[in-house]
Amino acid sequence: MIINHPLLGPRDASEFVYLGDAALMKRPDWQADDAAQQFYEYLYLRDNIAGQHRELWYHEQGDRSWLVVTRNTETHEITAVELARDVATREGHAV
Amino acid sequence: MRYSAFTVIKQALTGHKDWKPAWRDPEPRSEYDVIIIGGGGHGLATAYYLAKEHGITNVAVLEKGWIGGGNVGRNTTIIRSNYLLPGNEPFYELSMKLWENLEQDFNYNAMVSQRGILNLSHSDPQQDAYARRGNAMQLAGADSVLLDKAGVEKLCPFLDFDNARFPIKGGLWQPRAGTVRHDAVAWGYARGADTRGVDIIQNCEVTGFLMENGQCLGVETSRGTIKAKKVAVAVAGSSSRVMAKAGMRLPIESHVLQAFVSEGLKPIIPGVVTFGAGHFYVSQSDKGGLVFGGDIDGYNTYAQRGNLPTVEDVCEGGMALMPMIGRARLLRMWGGVMDMSMDGSPYIDKTHVEGLYFNGGWCYGGFKATPASGWCYAHLVATGQPHPVATEYRLDRFVSGKMIDEKGVGAQPNLH
């Protein structure tokens, strides 16, 4: 697979480390009343989608940026690559 | 028809004209006592043991494609019971005992070959860990032999003992482990279940569940609605997709594992050998091909194929372990979709829906578990209680904190 890095251009997927579903960026509120249940679901349960999947890749052998890659889990076709920082800022869960 | 040497000779003398199909191809009925979703090794084994051990024969196995077309046909055929934790080892040892008597039990040649497995150690701490594991195995009634370097040399003189980075210090040898003709496992269980009255319905995809008041009353399929008192799901690889139809999210990610076969070679590998400093395992098929594999690719996928960096990684592991493998040519490779659970261990459990049962999360260790998985799942579905060796395979263990963390590294969906 080739990941088209927004800053560096097309890079081989072997340069990256995979973390998982991009929903992992939305960390639950630890002060919520049901925080234990929310963290259980956050840590352990997955949508595990067959089809378009937004996921986190880390460019370890490159510029060490986190990316949000939209990839089809049935065909491995990559349709969008964004910096995770930009996605987090846009969706309002930047730390 | 019962298979025996006598029937083979009789058929040979009469031109092989009287062989019958090994199982029927029935139309689905409108209602069953138990529906099993998934005609793979685990689903068919469950149907077989439901009929044979519990006398429940009004059973249908629904398969969206053809039986044995998933991971039971896409693995590296290894059987073993060299686990460590008390939640795992008795289960896998039960599986090993069932493997040992399987062919006589279901009257089918599954080519069970107990040629042994050797896990190599490359450091003193790793050798200590294997000593501990070997003791844990013996406590559960399994067999294990701790070998020193000389013992490994005697067994596998072709390994790279001069490797400066990963010297071979010894290994853990389980003589009763081995390999099995994987397709024959599916076919043998299918024939055994069918003979006892189970309907095996192929090309029948489940499209939804019939739910009423928190109870599962049957399934919608591509061949119509089928009612059932109990529905048991065994579709590892597609678990999340199927259980989403019942409104459930699972502690599972789907990943691809690749496997490889070289051209046919003269006998060289005595059993199964695993590299302890990377991830590489190899055995030799009866046709002579070296069958080997390594890590999963490491990203979510439902495509039954992987990518080249993992191929390179696996082959590097092979070269580090036994440099002579570099002279063999790769004949073919394939990928299978794995239910990677969050602690590397499987699930055999009821769900919160009455009458709906779940079996999955086998990571890439499902094949060796086939007989015990069917045995314990049938026990759960028939009696409503988990089998004594499978009590820890609960779906809610991440809530309660009772994980079965065989590898000891915490919650990650990329474990074995």
Side-chain angles (χ1 to χ4, degrees):
Chain A
M1 290 187 293
I2 304 287
I3 294 175
N4 193 6
H5 193 296
L7 304 176
L8 303 174
R11 308 299 307 177
D12 193 277
S14 61
E15 295 178 3
F16 293 80
V17 174
Y18 179 83
L19 181 67
D21 195 322
L24 291 170
M25 291 200 298
K26 297 175 203 155
R27 202 177 164 81
D29 175 12
W30 65 276
Q31 289 180 307
D33 289 340
D34 61 343
Q37 178 66 22
Q38 282 193 41
F39 269 98
Y40 156 65
E41 291 176 12
Y42 170 81
L43 272 171
Y44 297 111
L45 301 187
R46 298 285 187 272
D47 288 336
N48 197 18
I49 288 163
Q52 295 295 326
H53 190 239
R54 289 176 81 232
E55 54 199 22
L56 289 163
W57 291 75
Y58 175 57
H59 199 192
E60 190 184 45
Q61 305 293 321
D63 71 343
R64 299 193 168 192
S65 57
W66 281 95
L67 304 180
V68 174
V69 176
T70 306
R71 187 178 58 93
N72 189 317
T73 56
E74 291 176 305
T75 63
H76 296 167
E77 187 195 8
I78 294 171
T79 45
V81 184
E82 296 174 274
L83 287 172
R85 187 181 56 207
D86 295 346
V87 175
T89 308
R90 189 177 70 231
E91 295 180 359
H93 41 76
V95 180
Chain B
M1 180 195 297
R2 202 176 154 74
Y3 296 154
S4 67
F6 175 73
T7 50
V8 171
I9 294 165
K10 188 176 160 216
Q11 290 289 334
L13 294 175
T14 54
H16 291 289
K17 286 181 186 135
D18 290 332
W19 291 115
K20 301 279 184 297
W23 53 85
R24 298 165 293 131
D25 184 20
E27 282 298 312
R29 279 181 259 153
S30 61
E31 190 166 358
Y32 290 92
D33 287 341
V34 178
I35 286 176
I36 295 165
I37 305 175
H42 291 223
L44 294 165
T46 305
Y48 175 75
Y49 290 123
L50 269 178
K52 181 166 177 285
E53 302 298 324
H54 302 279
I56 300 173
T57 55
N58 186 16
V59 176
V61 177
L62 309 182
E63 166 56 48
K64 77 170 173 184
W66 60 91
I67 61 165
N71 289 335
V72 75
R74 307 180 82 86
N75 54 71
T76 46
T77 79
I78 298 164
I79 61 168
R80 58 186 175 85
S81 64
N82 53 1
Y83 283 70
L84 173 69
L85 299 180
N88 274 331
E89 180 57 15
F91 173 84
Y92 287 101
E93 179 52 23
L94 169 65
S95 209
M96 185 55 76
K97 289 197 170 75
L98 291 169
W99 282 120
E100 286 177 319
N101 196 34
L102 184 66
E103 293 161 304
Q104 292 73 23
D105 189 65
F106 67 20
N107 180 232
Y108 202 89
N109 181 11
M111 295 166 68
V112 176
S113 167
Q114 293 182 283
R115 53 185 74 180
I117 187 167
L118 174 64
N119 300 126
L120 295 170
S121 73
H122 305 269
S123 65
D124 292 336
Q126 195 171 20
Q127 185 76 356
D128 291 346
Y130 280 149
R132 181 186 174 212
R133 179 178 293 260
N135 290 341
M137 290 162 63
Q138 292 187 15
L139 284 174
D143 59 321
S144 68
V145 182
L146 191 67
L147 298 178
D148 58 8
K149 187 181 169 188
V152 173
E153 262 172 327
K154 202 175 160 199
L155 210 56
C156 298
F158 52 83
L159 298 173
D160 183 7
F161 290 91
D162 300 325
N163 189 316
R165 179 67 184 86
F166 302 117
I168 293 170
K169 293 281 187 181
L172 187 62
W173 169 242
Q174 186 184 19
R176 283 162 65 243
T179 58
V180 179
R181 171 84 181 90
H182 53 184
D183 297 316
V185 175
W187 300 333
Y189 276 125
R191 176 169 163 271
D194 178 88
T195 309
R196 289 170 174 81
V198 172
D199 282 359
I200 295 168
I201 299 160
Q202 304 182 76
N203 300 308
C204 179
E205 183 172 1
V206 170
T207 54
F209 292 90
L210 291 176
M211 302 275 208
E212 210 168 277
N213 299 327
Q215 198 173 351
C216 185
L217 302 175
V219 292
E220 303 279 1
T221 77
S222 55
R223 294 171 70 171
T225 301
I226 309 174
K227 288 189 174 172
K229 295 187 181 75
K230 293 173 179 173
V231 176
V233 179
V235 294
S238 299
S239 292
S240 297
R241 280 201 276 192
V242 171
M243 296 310 278
K245 298 180 203 297
M248 288 179 66
R249 288 175 83 215
L250 299 175
I252 285 173
E253 283 186 9
S254 295
H255 287 253
V256 65
L257 178 72
Q258 302 190 64
F260 310 84
V261 175
S262 79
E263 60 191 325
L265 302 167
K266 287 185 177 177
I268 177 71
I269 309 228
V272 184
V273 182
T274 76
F275 183 34
H279 199 165
F280 177 82
Y281 44 92
V282 61
S283 64
Q284 189 165 19
S285 77
D286 291 346
K287 281 194 288 185
L290 303 183
V291 184
F292 58 95
D295 272 323
I296 54 172
D297 273 37
Y299 44 80
N300 283 49
T301 178
Y302 285 92
Q304 286 177 315
R305 61 173 193 282
N307 271 287
L308 289 171
T310 307
V311 178
E312 194 177 4
D313 184 60
V314 170
C315 292
E316 281 171 359
M319 288 299 287
L321 179 69
M322 38 186 286
M324 68 174 184
I325 204 173
R327 302 291 297 275
R329 280 169 295 190
L330 195 59
L331 192 63
R332 54 196 182 90
M333 52 197 262
W334 63 94
V337 180
M338 312 288 134
D339 268 13
M340 298 306 291
S341 70
M342 292 291 160
D343 59 0
S345 299
Y347 313 107
I348 303 176
D349 202 2
K350 301 174 192 176
T351 68
H352 68 280
V353 179
E354 181 78 29
L356 180 61
Y357 300 81
F358 178 72
N359 173 324
W362 289 98
C363 300
Y364 47 96
F367 178 69
K368 74 175 87 67
T370 305
S373 171
W375 185 278
C376 295
Y377 202 26
H379 185 276
L380 175 72
V381 171
T383 67
Q385 296 297 320
H387 188 276
V389 301
T391 53
E392 295 194 27
Y393 295 149
R394 296 172 63 111
L395 264 173
D396 69 354
R397 64 177 181 261
F398 302 104
V399 182
S400 59
K402 290 177 180 161
M403 286 174 240
I404 314 169
D405 190 4
E406 184 80 24
K407 211 169 176 180
V409 293
Q412 283 285 332
N414 53 5
L415 304 170
H416 191 332

